[in-house]
Amino acid sequence: MDRTALSDRYTLIAIAIIVYAGANISHEIIGHCGATYFLGAKCSFISTTDLRIFPELPTWKFRISAFAGSFANWLAALIWLGLLRASHSRSAALRYFLWLSGCVYLFVAYIS
């Protein structure tokens, strides 16, 4: 394998890691914790699969907070895909980043 192919492989791996981490941050912190803050509570613990809210929210507010994670990912995916469509860049790495971001953000919104 030549140097260019190995470099391209590392670039793809780095892009994938950054995209997935961004999707998770968008979902948990921007979506759930952002909505929780506006509903009058705070996130006391955040992980990739769980978050704890203090004080506990009434059921209707909790449902809004739960939906906000997926909504944040849907909104971010539309932004990424819009940037991809508007991009006239010749950089394959940038186009791949935008495409993968849109797809992963939609996938995370769908499974959550």
Side-chain angles (χ1 to χ4, degrees):
M1 183 178 295
D2 65 341
R3 268 178 138 20
T4 306
L6 188 60
S7 174
D8 290 345
R9 182 175 292 170
Y10 289 144
T11 300
L12 292 177
I13 291 168
I15 289 171
I17 290 169
I18 290 168
V19 166
Y20 188 76
N24 199 358
I25 289 169
S26 172
H27 184 86
E28 297 295 339
I29 297 174
I30 296 171
H32 293 310
C33 288
T36 300
Y37 176 77
F38 286 113
L39 293 170
K42 293 184 180 180
C43 293
S44 61
F45 173 79
I46 304 169
S47 75
T48 57
T49 58
D50 184 32
L51 80 119
R52 294 190 188 119
I53 300 170
F54 181 80
E56 285 195 29
L57 295 171
T59 303
W60 70 273
K61 286 185 177 182
F62 178 78
R63 288 184 179 160
I64 292 171
S65 176
F67 172 74
S70 292
F71 180 75
N73 281 108
W74 275 99
L75 186 61
L78 291 175
I79 291 169
W80 289 124
L81 293 173
L83 288 172
L84 175 63
R85 184 171 170 88
S87 172
H88 299 293
S89 173
R90 292 182 170 259
S91 169
L94 175 61
R95 288 193 319 265
Y96 177 70
F97 171 79
L98 294 172
W99 171 81
L100 188 64
S101 293
C103 292
V104 168
Y105 280 56
L106 285 174
F107 179 71
V108 170
Y110 176 73
I111 64 169
S112 299

